Amino acid sequence: MSPKLFCKLSVISGTLIIWIIKWGLRPYFNFPQPLKYILGVAPNLLGAFLLPLGCFWLLSKYFNLLNNYVLKMFCFTSFALLVINEYLQLIPIFGRTFDLGDIAASALGLTVSYFFCSKYLFTKMATYP
């Protein structure tokens, strides 16, 4: 399977999982701790993991994520934007809640995604068309 097809399928299925968690499970079911916390940060964790994959799938024409430096800068920039987004939730007019767990989940997701992409996906699978 080519890296681009793998990224496409991963992003689509990951997005569906995030939607199921956000709009199918959390609003209608009351989960006990720690499952409630895990489902609370799961969209941030999965979403951050999918960012480099989505960029490779949709924007590979503009970003050469096969270059390790470009991938690293993309992950750092994405994390900075995720932190800014989380801090903007402190503004009360948005009606959202600030959570340090979301920042930690985003950091973990991007870190795992960086190592997965740089050590496996973009090196081992780059030989496929």
Side-chain angles (χ1 to χ4, degrees), residues 28-85:
Y28 300 111
F29 299 100
N30 191 14
F31 295 99
Q33 292 293 351
L35 187 58
K36 184 176 184 175
Y37 179 77
I38 292 170
L39 288 175
V41 297
N44 291 79
L45 179 74
L46 291 171
F49 180 81
L50 295 174
L51 280 174
L53 300 175
C55 181
F56 184 75
W57 169 40
L58 296 170
L59 302 173
S60 60
K61 182 177 175 181
Y62 306 107
F63 295 102
N64 181 17
L65 292 185
L66 298 176
N67 181 337
N68 198 34
Y69 178 76
V70 174
L71 177 63
K72 193 179 292 184
M73 287 299 108
F74 176 80
C75 288
F76 281 136
T77 305
S78 297
F79 179 68
L81 292 172
L82 289 168
V83 170
I84 290 169
N85 175 51

Side-chain angles (χ1 to χ4, degrees), residues 6 14 20 24 32 34-35 40 42 46 49 51 69 81-82 89 93-94 96 106 111-112 116 124-126:
F6 176 80
I20 289 169
L35 187 58
L46 291 171
F49 180 81
L51 280 174
Y69 178 76
L81 292 172
L82 289 168
Q89 293 177 13
I93 60 172
F94 294 124
R96 305 208 37 212
S106 296
T111 302
V112 170
F116 172 73
K124 304 257 191 287
M125 295 182 73

